[in-house]
Amino acid sequence: NAQKTVTINGRSYPTDSWYNVSSTVLSLTSRKLHLQKDHPVSITRKIIESVFPGPTYKYYNEFDPVVSTHENFDSLGFPPDHPGRARTDTYYINQSTLLRTHTSAHEAQLFRENDTGGYLISADVYRRDEVDRSHYPVFHQMEGARVWDRRLVPNGDLVAAVYEDLERLPKHNMTVEDPNPPFHPERNPLQEGHHTPEEAAAIAAHLKRSLELMVNEIFTRAKAANVAAAGGSPQQDEPLRVRWVEAYFPFTSPSWELEVHYNGDWLEILGCGVSQQHVLNNAGVPHKSGWAFGIGLERVAMLLFKIPDIRLFWSQDERFLSQFRGVEDDLSKIRPFVPFSKHPACYKDVSFWLPKDEFHENDLMEIVRDAVGDVVEDVKKVDEFVHPKTGRKSMCYRINYRSLERTLTNTETNEMHDRVVKGLVAKLGVEIR
Ligand code: PHE
């Protein structure tokens, strides 16, 4: 096994016993939806780029998804026992090489190399996860950061320099709620010895305004699309509301998530914060300080275009792709996606006894995806019990088979379900009930 290699985007890598990338996921590493012209993921990238203009911000859209565990975790201060490192959550090529789980994997490199003060990265990222209409093992993120060099700011006054840059940003008229104190003693302390409270506050203020402008741009475009689709009559929708919520990341402090009020719910769309000085110090730029954020592009695109199922982004069906043609060069052409007919769902249950070993739901999810591809809409646990005498554990999962493109026949669905069941027996060693 140690001799085997895998080729990704023209480069080959040695695999070892840590290798856990399914062939389905492997085949998606070359798709790069964020660079496919007129694809909704690419259009969303363009909108976000427009809010962070050059020459202050420089764009990096071609980084390869294969990175080291050092880049993805250690360089950012993830502790050795962080759950995100588990093989049940992350796709490994070998023990020290993986498919990046987030665009932050490139932070240290760009803090070291980028000299314009800011950057944006867009890229495909990979996570083992559940199966439903908003999760897919490959998705796209955009990461942005802005730093100031203490040696270059006038009079060494970082606070004044940051506020001066903030003054130059446009204003907006969204309602912003920011109810929590900026610091938390354990989770989000002031980076004592690196920043004064005034410096952290200035960087945070610049961060928040920048990201509010981004969200405002996205939702203004979404609103215009809805108005145009409704024949130009302005609707009576509520004003856009957003709020800042305290969050935790090993590489920012203080940290926040930004939530948007959408269809009666608060929806988290990005994570961000004041970059931890250890990341910049280890990147060899201890004289720089600043902020960073990461946003999921599919999530934003689903709101912007009203796309109901994340599998659609991977569709090569003209009925999907044609709806976005010409939009990337003229964003005023954005319209809500018109779903083509919804095909019937077919639910099938599988019940099994677990072997003694540990069981991770993500392994089951992956076996289902690998056996039937995008024909699975979601997988839900419907029952779980322990036999009172034998102590064995039984699980029951319900698989929803539904193609986005056509109606499945009974025979087809039965065959697919058979493949799933066989996969579970062969790969997880379960005993079917
Ligand atoms: N990388 C984080 C995630 O994927 C998001 C993030 C980026 C948070 C940059 C803070 C700063 O969840």
mmCIF file of all heavy atoms in Angstrom, residues 393-432:
data_model
loop_
_atom_site.group_PDB
_atom_site.id
_atom_site.type_symbol
_atom_site.label_atom_id
_atom_site.label_comp_id
_atom_site.label_asym_id
_atom_site.label_seq_id
_atom_site.Cartn_x
_atom_site.Cartn_y
_atom_site.Cartn_z
ATOM 1 N N LYS A 393 -25.745 -2.970 19.313
ATOM 2 C CA LYS A 393 -26.446 -1.745 18.928
ATOM 3 C C LYS A 393 -26.993 -1.880 17.512
ATOM 4 O O LYS A 393 -26.301 -2.362 16.613
ATOM 5 C CB LYS A 393 -25.478 -0.580 18.981
ATOM 6 C CG LYS A 393 -26.162 0.760 18.975
ATOM 7 C CD LYS A 393 -25.122 1.837 19.213
ATOM 8 C CE LYS A 393 -25.738 3.174 19.466
ATOM 9 N NZ LYS A 393 -24.738 4.209 19.652
ATOM 10 N N SER A 394 -28.225 -1.449 17.349
ATOM 11 C CA SER A 394 -28.848 -1.483 16.026
ATOM 12 C C SER A 394 -29.118 -0.057 15.568
ATOM 13 O O SER A 394 -29.493 0.807 16.352
ATOM 14 C CB SER A 394 -30.168 -2.254 16.109
ATOM 15 O OG SER A 394 -30.948 -1.979 14.963
ATOM 16 N N MET A 395 -28.920 0.181 14.272
ATOM 17 C CA MET A 395 -29.177 1.502 13.704
ATOM 18 C C MET A 395 -30.108 1.344 12.506
ATOM 19 O O MET A 395 -30.058 0.328 11.807
ATOM 20 C CB MET A 395 -27.899 2.159 13.156
ATOM 21 C CG MET A 395 -26.690 2.090 14.048
ATOM 22 S SD MET A 395 -26.862 3.217 15.424
ATOM 23 C CE MET A 395 -26.454 4.724 14.625
ATOM 24 N N CYS A 396 -30.905 2.370 12.293
ATOM 25 C CA CYS A 396 -31.691 2.391 11.068
ATOM 26 C C CYS A 396 -31.550 3.753 10.405
ATOM 27 O O CYS A 396 -31.728 4.789 11.062
ATOM 28 C CB CYS A 396 -33.156 2.090 11.371
ATOM 29 S SG CYS A 396 -34.168 2.150 9.879
ATOM 30 N N TYR A 397 -31.202 3.750 9.124
ATOM 31 C CA TYR A 397 -31.076 4.991 8.353
ATOM 32 C C TYR A 397 -32.073 4.999 7.212
ATOM 33 O O TYR A 397 -32.353 3.943 6.619
ATOM 34 C CB TYR A 397 -29.660 5.145 7.791
ATOM 35 C CG TYR A 397 -28.673 5.618 8.840
ATOM 36 C CD1 TYR A 397 -28.017 4.699 9.651
ATOM 37 C CD2 TYR A 397 -28.447 6.968 9.041
ATOM 38 C CE1 TYR A 397 -27.138 5.123 10.635
ATOM 39 C CE2 TYR A 397 -27.578 7.402 10.016
ATOM 40 C CZ TYR A 397 -26.912 6.479 10.813
ATOM 41 O OH TYR A 397 -26.061 6.913 11.777
ATOM 42 N N ARG A 398 -32.589 6.177 6.925
ATOM 43 C CA ARG A 398 -33.516 6.328 5.796
ATOM 44 C C ARG A 398 -32.818 7.105 4.691
ATOM 45 O O ARG A 398 -32.343 8.226 4.909
ATOM 46 C CB ARG A 398 -34.773 7.068 6.253
ATOM 47 C CG ARG A 398 -35.787 7.281 5.137
ATOM 48 C CD ARG A 398 -37.166 7.526 5.708
ATOM 49 N NE ARG A 398 -37.600 6.361 6.482
ATOM 50 C CZ ARG A 398 -38.561 6.380 7.391
ATOM 51 N NH1 ARG A 398 -39.200 7.510 7.655
ATOM 52 N NH2 ARG A 398 -38.893 5.290 8.050
ATOM 53 N N ILE A 399 -32.746 6.499 3.530
ATOM 54 C CA ILE A 399 -32.071 7.123 2.395
ATOM 55 C C ILE A 399 -33.119 7.626 1.419
ATOM 56 O O ILE A 399 -34.023 6.874 1.042
ATOM 57 C CB ILE A 399 -31.125 6.115 1.705
ATOM 58 C CG1 ILE A 399 -30.127 5.595 2.753
ATOM 59 C CG2 ILE A 399 -30.392 6.766 0.539
ATOM 60 C CD1 ILE A 399 -29.286 4.451 2.275
ATOM 61 N N ASN A 400 -32.983 8.881 1.051
ATOM 62 C CA ASN A 400 -33.924 9.479 0.109
ATOM 63 C C ASN A 400 -33.261 9.549 -1.266
ATOM 64 O O ASN A 400 -32.340 10.324 -1.476
ATOM 65 C CB ASN A 400 -34.313 10.873 0.625
ATOM 66 C CG ASN A 400 -35.177 11.635 -0.362
ATOM 67 O OD1 ASN A 400 -35.632 11.079 -1.358
ATOM 68 N ND2 ASN A 400 -35.401 12.907 -0.078
ATOM 69 N N TYR A 401 -33.740 8.699 -2.178
ATOM 70 C CA TYR A 401 -33.220 8.701 -3.545
ATOM 71 C C TYR A 401 -34.080 9.622 -4.394
ATOM 72 O O TYR A 401 -35.300 9.459 -4.461
ATOM 73 C CB TYR A 401 -33.274 7.295 -4.146
ATOM 74 C CG TYR A 401 -32.419 6.288 -3.402
ATOM 75 C CD1 TYR A 401 -32.951 5.502 -2.393
ATOM 76 C CD2 TYR A 401 -31.077 6.132 -3.724
ATOM 77 C CE1 TYR A 401 -32.173 4.575 -1.709
ATOM 78 C CE2 TYR A 401 -30.288 5.214 -3.052
ATOM 79 C CZ TYR A 401 -30.845 4.440 -2.051
ATOM 80 O OH TYR A 401 -30.066 3.533 -1.380
ATOM 81 N N ARG A 402 -33.433 10.619 -4.994
ATOM 82 C CA ARG A 402 -34.185 11.497 -5.891
ATOM 83 C C ARG A 402 -33.197 12.150 -6.860
ATOM 84 O O ARG A 402 -32.289 12.866 -6.457
ATOM 85 C CB ARG A 402 -34.910 12.583 -5.109
ATOM 86 C CG ARG A 402 -35.860 13.392 -6.005
ATOM 87 C CD ARG A 402 -36.132 14.809 -5.543
ATOM 88 N NE ARG A 402 -36.536 14.994 -4.177
ATOM 89 C CZ ARG A 402 -37.800 15.217 -3.757
ATOM 90 N NH1 ARG A 402 -38.779 15.243 -4.632
ATOM 91 N NH2 ARG A 402 -38.053 15.417 -2.498
ATOM 92 N N SER A 403 -33.400 11.893 -8.120
ATOM 93 C CA SER A 403 -32.525 12.511 -9.112
ATOM 94 C C SER A 403 -32.990 13.934 -9.357
ATOM 95 O O SER A 403 -34.176 14.231 -9.309
ATOM 96 C CB SER A 403 -32.566 11.715 -10.418
ATOM 97 O OG SER A 403 -32.007 12.503 -11.453
ATOM 98 N N LEU A 404 -32.019 14.823 -9.611
ATOM 99 C CA LEU A 404 -32.374 16.198 -9.965
ATOM 100 C C LEU A 404 -32.840 16.274 -11.406
ATOM 101 O O LEU A 404 -33.454 17.247 -11.827
ATOM 102 C CB LEU A 404 -31.154 17.102 -9.809
ATOM 103 C CG LEU A 404 -30.635 17.310 -8.392
ATOM 104 C CD1 LEU A 404 -29.250 17.913 -8.437
ATOM 105 C CD2 LEU A 404 -31.589 18.202 -7.628
ATOM 106 N N GLU A 405 -32.507 15.260 -12.174
ATOM 107 C CA GLU A 405 -32.679 15.363 -13.615
ATOM 108 C C GLU A 405 -33.797 14.512 -14.198
ATOM 109 O O GLU A 405 -34.297 14.799 -15.271
ATOM 110 C CB GLU A 405 -31.339 15.035 -14.306
ATOM 111 C CG GLU A 405 -30.386 16.235 -14.257
ATOM 112 C CD GLU A 405 -28.930 15.870 -14.065
ATOM 113 O OE1 GLU A 405 -28.559 14.723 -14.377
ATOM 114 O OE2 GLU A 405 -28.165 16.736 -13.591
ATOM 115 N N ARG A 406 -34.174 13.434 -13.503
ATOM 116 C CA ARG A 406 -35.183 12.557 -14.119
ATOM 117 C C ARG A 406 -35.859 11.708 -13.046
ATOM 118 O O ARG A 406 -35.416 11.669 -11.894
ATOM 119 C CB ARG A 406 -34.510 11.640 -15.157
ATOM 120 C CG ARG A 406 -33.520 10.730 -14.549
ATOM 121 C CD ARG A 406 -32.417 10.298 -15.502
ATOM 122 N NE ARG A 406 -31.403 9.645 -14.706
ATOM 123 C CZ ARG A 406 -31.511 8.400 -14.271
ATOM 124 N NH1 ARG A 406 -32.548 7.665 -14.610
ATOM 125 N NH2 ARG A 406 -30.574 7.878 -13.523
ATOM 126 N N THR A 407 -36.924 11.018 -13.453
ATOM 127 C CA THR A 407 -37.622 10.115 -12.543
ATOM 128 C C THR A 407 -36.929 8.758 -12.538
ATOM 129 O O THR A 407 -36.627 8.204 -13.588
ATOM 130 C CB THR A 407 -39.092 9.959 -12.991
ATOM 131 O OG1 THR A 407 -39.702 11.236 -12.919
ATOM 132 C CG2 THR A 407 -39.834 8.993 -12.100
ATOM 133 N N LEU A 408 -36.656 8.230 -11.365
ATOM 134 C CA LEU A 408 -35.970 6.934 -11.266
ATOM 135 C C LEU A 408 -36.987 5.805 -11.349
ATOM 136 O O LEU A 408 -38.102 5.937 -10.836
ATOM 137 C CB LEU A 408 -35.238 6.844 -9.925
ATOM 138 C CG LEU A 408 -34.217 7.940 -9.620
ATOM 139 C CD1 LEU A 408 -33.778 7.864 -8.160
ATOM 140 C CD2 LEU A 408 -33.009 7.806 -10.546
ATOM 141 N N THR A 409 -36.607 4.705 -11.988
ATOM 142 C CA THR A 409 -37.508 3.545 -11.998
ATOM 143 C C THR A 409 -37.315 2.748 -10.708
ATOM 144 O O THR A 409 -36.284 2.867 -10.045
ATOM 145 C CB THR A 409 -37.212 2.608 -13.181
ATOM 146 O OG1 THR A 409 -35.910 2.032 -12.981
ATOM 147 C CG2 THR A 409 -37.226 3.369 -14.505
ATOM 148 N N ASN A 410 -38.307 1.919 -10.382
ATOM 149 C CA ASN A 410 -38.198 1.070 -9.187
ATOM 150 C C ASN A 410 -36.990 0.169 -9.231
ATOM 151 O O ASN A 410 -36.274 0.014 -8.242
ATOM 152 C CB ASN A 410 -39.448 0.193 -9.075
ATOM 153 C CG ASN A 410 -40.546 0.942 -8.329
ATOM 154 O OD1 ASN A 410 -40.238 1.839 -7.536
ATOM 155 N ND2 ASN A 410 -41.789 0.596 -8.599
ATOM 156 N N THR A 411 -36.794 -0.436 -10.414
ATOM 157 C CA THR A 411 -35.674 -1.367 -10.551
ATOM 158 C C THR A 411 -34.352 -0.667 -10.265
ATOM 159 O O THR A 411 -33.507 -1.163 -9.534
ATOM 160 C CB THR A 411 -35.644 -1.936 -11.995
ATOM 161 O OG1 THR A 411 -36.974 -2.043 -12.449
ATOM 162 C CG2 THR A 411 -34.901 -3.230 -12.061
ATOM 163 N N GLU A 412 -34.235 0.528 -10.854
ATOM 164 C CA GLU A 412 -33.015 1.318 -10.664
ATOM 165 C C GLU A 412 -32.765 1.611 -9.185
ATOM 166 O O GLU A 412 -31.652 1.456 -8.675
ATOM 167 C CB GLU A 412 -33.232 2.658 -11.366
ATOM 168 C CG GLU A 412 -32.281 3.017 -12.438
ATOM 169 C CD GLU A 412 -32.619 4.405 -12.983
ATOM 170 O OE1 GLU A 412 -33.798 4.797 -13.038
ATOM 171 O OE2 GLU A 412 -31.660 5.083 -13.339
ATOM 172 N N THR A 413 -33.819 2.070 -8.504
ATOM 173 C CA THR A 413 -33.671 2.431 -7.097
ATOM 174 C C THR A 413 -33.311 1.200 -6.266
ATOM 175 O O THR A 413 -32.445 1.260 -5.391
ATOM 176 C CB THR A 413 -34.973 3.067 -6.565
ATOM 177 O OG1 THR A 413 -35.466 3.961 -7.545
ATOM 178 C CG2 THR A 413 -34.708 3.827 -5.293
ATOM 179 N N ASN A 414 -33.974 0.081 -6.568
ATOM 180 C CA ASN A 414 -33.648 -1.148 -5.833
ATOM 181 C C ASN A 414 -32.192 -1.543 -6.029
ATOM 182 O O ASN A 414 -31.515 -1.949 -5.085
ATOM 183 C CB ASN A 414 -34.563 -2.289 -6.279
ATOM 184 C CG ASN A 414 -35.975 -2.102 -5.720
ATOM 185 O OD1 ASN A 414 -36.153 -1.455 -4.677
ATOM 186 N ND2 ASN A 414 -36.965 -2.642 -6.408
ATOM 187 N N GLU A 415 -31.724 -1.411 -7.267
ATOM 188 C CA GLU A 415 -30.330 -1.767 -7.531
ATOM 189 C C GLU A 415 -29.370 -0.859 -6.782
ATOM 190 O O GLU A 415 -28.358 -1.297 -6.237
ATOM 191 C CB GLU A 415 -30.042 -1.663 -9.034
ATOM 192 C CG GLU A 415 -30.469 -2.894 -9.814
ATOM 193 C CD GLU A 415 -30.399 -2.674 -11.329
ATOM 194 O OE1 GLU A 415 -29.771 -1.666 -11.769
ATOM 195 O OE2 GLU A 415 -30.986 -3.508 -12.042
ATOM 196 N N MET A 416 -29.705 0.435 -6.746
ATOM 197 C CA MET A 416 -28.844 1.372 -6.028
ATOM 198 C C MET A 416 -28.825 1.047 -4.541
ATOM 199 O O MET A 416 -27.780 1.052 -3.894
ATOM 200 C CB MET A 416 -29.315 2.808 -6.269
ATOM 201 C CG MET A 416 -28.952 3.287 -7.650
ATOM 202 S SD MET A 416 -29.167 5.038 -7.840
ATOM 203 C CE MET A 416 -30.923 5.158 -7.803
ATOM 204 N N HIS A 417 -30.013 0.770 -4.017
ATOM 205 C CA HIS A 417 -30.086 0.464 -2.581
ATOM 206 C C HIS A 417 -29.283 -0.798 -2.263
ATOM 207 O O HIS A 417 -28.608 -0.873 -1.236
ATOM 208 C CB HIS A 417 -31.547 0.321 -2.151
ATOM 209 C CG HIS A 417 -31.714 0.369 -0.663
ATOM 210 N ND1 HIS A 417 -31.389 1.483 0.093
ATOM 211 C CD2 HIS A 417 -32.142 -0.567 0.223
ATOM 212 C CE1 HIS A 417 -31.616 1.227 1.377
ATOM 213 N NE2 HIS A 417 -32.076 -0.005 1.474
ATOM 214 N N ASP A 418 -29.357 -1.760 -3.159
ATOM 215 C CA ASP A 418 -28.547 -2.983 -3.019
ATOM 216 C C ASP A 418 -27.058 -2.659 -2.924
ATOM 217 O O ASP A 418 -26.336 -3.240 -2.125
ATOM 218 C CB ASP A 418 -28.746 -3.868 -4.258
ATOM 219 C CG ASP A 418 -29.733 -4.973 -3.991
ATOM 220 O OD1 ASP A 418 -30.370 -4.955 -2.913
ATOM 221 O OD2 ASP A 418 -29.875 -5.844 -4.879
ATOM 222 N N ARG A 419 -26.629 -1.765 -3.791
ATOM 223 C CA ARG A 419 -25.208 -1.378 -3.777
ATOM 224 C C ARG A 419 -24.825 -0.731 -2.448
ATOM 225 O O ARG A 419 -23.752 -0.973 -1.902
ATOM 226 C CB ARG A 419 -24.901 -0.393 -4.918
ATOM 227 C CG ARG A 419 -24.768 -1.025 -6.286
ATOM 228 C CD ARG A 419 -23.801 -0.259 -7.162
ATOM 229 N NE ARG A 419 -24.213 1.109 -7.459
ATOM 230 C CZ ARG A 419 -25.144 1.437 -8.356
ATOM 231 N NH1 ARG A 419 -25.780 0.494 -9.044
ATOM 232 N NH2 ARG A 419 -25.453 2.709 -8.580
ATOM 233 N N VAL A 420 -25.718 0.104 -1.939
ATOM 234 C CA VAL A 420 -25.461 0.758 -0.655
ATOM 235 C C VAL A 420 -25.320 -0.299 0.440
ATOM 236 O O VAL A 420 -24.361 -0.307 1.213
ATOM 237 C CB VAL A 420 -26.596 1.751 -0.308
ATOM 238 C CG1 VAL A 420 -26.497 2.201 1.142
ATOM 239 C CG2 VAL A 420 -26.557 2.947 -1.249
ATOM 240 N N VAL A 421 -26.281 -1.225 0.478
ATOM 241 C CA VAL A 421 -26.280 -2.253 1.520
ATOM 242 C C VAL A 421 -25.000 -3.093 1.435
ATOM 243 O O VAL A 421 -24.327 -3.342 2.437
ATOM 244 C CB VAL A 421 -27.543 -3.139 1.389
ATOM 245 C CG1 VAL A 421 -27.450 -4.353 2.286
ATOM 246 C CG2 VAL A 421 -28.793 -2.311 1.703
ATOM 247 N N LYS A 422 -24.630 -3.478 0.217
ATOM 248 C CA LYS A 422 -23.404 -4.278 0.045
ATOM 249 C C LYS A 422 -22.180 -3.487 0.508
ATOM 250 O O LYS A 422 -21.275 -4.036 1.135
ATOM 251 C CB LYS A 422 -23.240 -4.675 -1.421
ATOM 252 C CG LYS A 422 -24.266 -5.720 -1.872
ATOM 253 C CD LYS A 422 -23.692 -6.606 -2.981
ATOM 254 C CE LYS A 422 -24.681 -7.690 -3.394
ATOM 255 N NZ LYS A 422 -25.630 -7.246 -4.466
ATOM 256 N N GLY A 423 -22.157 -2.192 0.182
ATOM 257 C CA GLY A 423 -21.038 -1.343 0.596
ATOM 258 C C GLY A 423 -20.918 -1.260 2.108
ATOM 259 O O GLY A 423 -19.824 -1.313 2.667
ATOM 260 N N LEU A 424 -22.068 -1.154 2.773
ATOM 261 C CA LEU A 424 -22.055 -1.048 4.234
ATOM 262 C C LEU A 424 -21.512 -2.326 4.862
ATOM 263 O O LEU A 424 -20.727 -2.290 5.815
ATOM 264 C CB LEU A 424 -23.462 -0.754 4.761
ATOM 265 C CG LEU A 424 -24.046 0.611 4.394
ATOM 266 C CD1 LEU A 424 -25.490 0.737 4.880
ATOM 267 C CD2 LEU A 424 -23.197 1.741 4.973
ATOM 268 N N VAL A 425 -21.936 -3.467 4.298
ATOM 269 C CA VAL A 425 -21.471 -4.750 4.831
ATOM 270 C C VAL A 425 -19.967 -4.892 4.594
ATOM 271 O O VAL A 425 -19.198 -5.211 5.498
ATOM 272 C CB VAL A 425 -22.242 -5.921 4.175
ATOM 273 C CG1 VAL A 425 -21.619 -7.262 4.560
ATOM 274 C CG2 VAL A 425 -23.716 -5.862 4.578
ATOM 275 N N ALA A 426 -19.544 -4.591 3.349
ATOM 276 C CA ALA A 426 -18.132 -4.811 2.989
ATOM 277 C C ALA A 426 -17.199 -3.836 3.713
ATOM 278 O O ALA A 426 -16.126 -4.215 4.167
ATOM 279 C CB ALA A 426 -17.963 -4.695 1.477
ATOM 280 N N LYS A 427 -17.606 -2.573 3.819
ATOM 281 C CA LYS A 427 -16.670 -1.568 4.328
ATOM 282 C C LYS A 427 -16.807 -1.283 5.813
ATOM 283 O O LYS A 427 -15.854 -0.850 6.452
ATOM 284 C CB LYS A 427 -16.817 -0.268 3.530
ATOM 285 C CG LYS A 427 -16.370 -0.447 2.084
ATOM 286 C CD LYS A 427 -16.485 0.840 1.303
ATOM 287 C CE LYS A 427 -16.149 0.618 -0.170
ATOM 288 N NZ LYS A 427 -16.782 1.615 -1.028
ATOM 289 N N LEU A 428 -18.010 -1.490 6.367
ATOM 290 C CA LEU A 428 -18.180 -1.207 7.797
ATOM 291 C C LEU A 428 -18.341 -2.488 8.618
ATOM 292 O O LEU A 428 -18.348 -2.439 9.837
ATOM 293 C CB LEU A 428 -19.395 -0.302 8.027
ATOM 294 C CG LEU A 428 -19.340 1.115 7.440
ATOM 295 C CD1 LEU A 428 -20.606 1.875 7.808
ATOM 296 C CD2 LEU A 428 -18.116 1.862 7.953
ATOM 297 N N GLY A 429 -18.518 -3.613 7.931
ATOM 298 C CA GLY A 429 -18.678 -4.874 8.639
ATOM 299 C C GLY A 429 -19.972 -4.964 9.444
ATOM 300 O O GLY A 429 -20.033 -5.672 10.449
ATOM 301 N N VAL A 430 -21.015 -4.243 9.005
ATOM 302 C CA VAL A 430 -22.275 -4.307 9.746
ATOM 303 C C VAL A 430 -23.039 -5.573 9.363
ATOM 304 O O VAL A 430 -22.763 -6.190 8.335
ATOM 305 C CB VAL A 430 -23.163 -3.069 9.466
ATOM 306 C CG1 VAL A 430 -22.414 -1.796 9.771
ATOM 307 C CG2 VAL A 430 -23.664 -3.075 8.015
ATOM 308 N N GLU A 431 -23.995 -5.957 10.223
ATOM 309 C CA GLU A 431 -24.837 -7.114 9.910
ATOM 310 C C GLU A 431 -26.250 -6.616 9.663
ATOM 311 O O GLU A 431 -26.879 -6.030 10.548
ATOM 312 C CB GLU A 431 -24.813 -8.078 11.104
ATOM 313 C CG GLU A 431 -25.477 -9.407 10.829
ATOM 314 C CD GLU A 431 -25.580 -10.227 12.120
ATOM 315 O OE1 GLU A 431 -24.577 -10.280 12.859
ATOM 316 O OE2 GLU A 431 -26.668 -10.774 12.376
ATOM 317 N N ILE A 432 -26.739 -6.850 8.424
ATOM 318 C CA ILE A 432 -28.064 -6.352 8.050
ATOM 319 C C ILE A 432 -29.141 -7.101 8.834
ATOM 320 O O ILE A 432 -29.045 -8.317 9.017
ATOM 321 C CB ILE A 432 -28.277 -6.524 6.526
ATOM 322 C CG1 ILE A 432 -27.174 -5.800 5.745
ATOM 323 C CG2 ILE A 432 -29.662 -6.034 6.096
ATOM 324 C CD1 ILE A 432 -27.142 -4.298 5.901
#
